[in-house]
Amino acid sequence: MKILVFSDSHRSLSGMYRAIEAHAPQQVIHLGDLQRDAEELAYAYPKLPICMVPGNCDGWTMDPAKKQITLEGKQILLSHGHLWGVKRGYEGATADARACGADILLFGHTHRALCQQMEDGLWVMNPGAARFSFGEILIQDGQIHCQVIEL
């Protein structure tokens, strides 16, 4: 399964459209700022599953700010990142991911791309700002591979 991950699109949709067309994912995850951009993607690609969470710039919403989903048997914890204070460090986010048994932790908010596998196997990804980069997750035969791709 190929998953594309976007965050902090802030009305910059063209890169997300190009990435979807070029990489043909089976799933898209949008990590907020602006959730409306993810809704536009869902309208443009009605057959493509799109999971989204709101960010700190998305205003008042009833949508959950944090979600845990399962794809191809792997647990993925996602949130925009502001609730974990990721601009000050990733400790809160990684602790939350480990506490819920996540295999992959996804967040944005900092606009700085990050992709690394921790010593305990947890993948941590921030796809950066969608205007400049996005994340790609491949889950195949029980194995996870993550990377950040620059636009």
Side-chain angles (χ1 to χ4, degrees):
M1 171 177 255
K2 184 184 295 185
I3 306 158
L4 295 189
V5 184
F6 301 105
S7 188
D8 299 281
S9 48
H10 296 284
R11 300 301 299 152
S12 182
L13 297 160
S14 62
M16 293 190 298
Y17 285 119
R18 284 195 320 269
I20 290 169
E21 291 298 322
H23 293 268
Q26 287 83 44
Q27 173 79 47
V28 167
I29 296 173
H30 190 282
L31 302 170
D33 282 358
L34 296 168
Q35 189 171 358
R36 180 175 64 192
D37 298 344
E39 292 165 355
E40 287 189 31
L41 289 178
Y43 180 77
Y45 299 95
K47 294 183 179 182
L48 179 60
I50 299 179
C51 179
M52 61 188 88
V53 291
N56 61 295
C57 292
D58 284 308
W60 186 87
T61 177
M62 293 287 290
D63 294 338
K66 179 173 69 170
K67 291 182 181 176
Q68 185 170 355
I69 61 173
T70 304
L71 296 173
E72 296 291 310
K74 300 300 181 183
Q75 296 295 312
I76 303 172
L77 181 64
L78 55 131
S79 188
H80 181 63
H82 61 295
L83 299 177
W84 289 317
V86 295
K87 286 186 177 180
R88 293 184 310 276
Y90 309 137
E91 296 80 15
T94 56
D96 199 1
R98 289 180 176 117
C100 70
D103 300 295
I104 304 169
L105 169 65
L106 302 175
F107 61 88
H109 190 52
T110 67
H111 294 210
R112 289 180 302 213
L114 164 75
C115 183
Q116 68 181 43
Q117 188 174 26
M118 309 298 279
E119 289 180 16
D120 62 359
L122 174 67
W123 279 97
V124 177
M125 177 189 282
N126 179 335
R131 184 175 173 192
F132 302 109
S133 61
F134 63 94
E136 180 183 70
I137 301 169
L138 298 174
I139 304 174
Q140 189 172 22
D141 299 324
Q143 299 297 310
I144 301 168
H145 177 73
C146 300
Q147 65 177 334
V148 170
I149 300 172
E150 293 186 15
L151 290 170

